[in-house]
Amino acid sequence: MCIIVVKPQGVKLPDEKLLRACFENNKDGAGYMYSVDPIDKNKDGAVIIRKGFMTIQALLNSLAATNITADNVIVYHFRIATHGDITPENTHPFSIETSIKSLKSLKVVTDMGLVHNGILPIKPRYGLSDTQEFIASFLSLEEIKK
């Protein structure tokens, strides 16, 4: 199964040893999403998604280049592929929307993000993961807003 690590606001960031152990046990790619101050007028949404890290060093380099602190909520995802290709685009997290292009984007600013652990009983379109198909076909942001 995939590994999901959730760091709540006010809790110390996971150390490199923990992140390395997660990646070593789930080597099909990694990503993370974190909260930003929703009052920040320079952001289009309250969640920043960065994904597509196919090596632990790429993940660590990206994290080092951010301003993430204990004040941010952050969710890390370490993938074991069950559906879809092993590609950077199929790593989690995903923005909740119908656009396949956006679901495959490696850098997203959005209102909501999602990670998933397990297998969904659906048949994804060629190349998509089950999670991408579920979001695009059943859980789009347009449907949530209705």
Side-chain angles (χ1 to χ4, degrees):
M1 286 214 167
C2 298
I3 298 173
I4 299 170
V5 177
V6 178
K7 190 225 57 85
Q9 184 176 23
V11 174
K12 186 175 111 177
L13 292 167
D15 63 17
E16 183 177 322
K17 182 178 178 181
L18 174 69
L19 297 177
R20 283 185 181 279
C22 292
F23 195 91
E24 287 301 314
N25 285 285
N26 289 58
K27 294 184 177 187
D28 291 339
Y32 61 94
M33 62 182 164
Y34 62 99
S35 64
V36 294
D37 184 349
I39 298 171
D40 186 345
K41 303 297 186 222
N42 296 319
K43 304 293 181 196
D44 292 332
V47 177
I48 295 177
I49 294 174
R50 297 292 181 261
K51 65 180 193 168
F53 305 106
M54 304 311 283
T55 67
I56 184 60
Q57 197 55 54
L59 174 65
L60 294 173
N61 290 346
S62 177
L63 288 166
T66 69
N67 293 323
I68 297 171
T69 68
D71 291 335
N72 298 96
V73 174
I74 183 166
V75 177
Y76 305 84
H77 187 276
F78 300 87
R79 183 175 187 235
I80 288 183
T82 56
H83 291 86
D85 300 330
I86 298 173
T87 63
E89 296 80 14
N90 282 355
T91 58
H92 298 216
F94 299 107
S95 178
I96 300 177
E97 53 192 284
T98 57
S99 164
I100 300 301
K101 181 179 179 182
S102 293
L103 288 168
K104 289 185 173 277
S105 181
L106 305 182
K107 295 180 179 181
V108 178
V109 179
T110 186
D111 292 329
M112 287 186 273
L114 179 138
V115 295
H116 178 258
N117 187 8
I119 299 171
L120 295 167
I122 58 176
K123 182 175 169 120
R125 288 171 261 184
Y126 177 77
L128 295 182
S129 73
D130 54 347
T131 308
Q132 287 169 316
E133 185 66 50
F134 178 74
I135 293 168
S137 297
F138 302 104
L139 191 66
S140 71
L141 189 54
E142 291 80 16
E143 292 300 317
I144 291 171
K145 287 182 176 178
K146 288 183 181 177

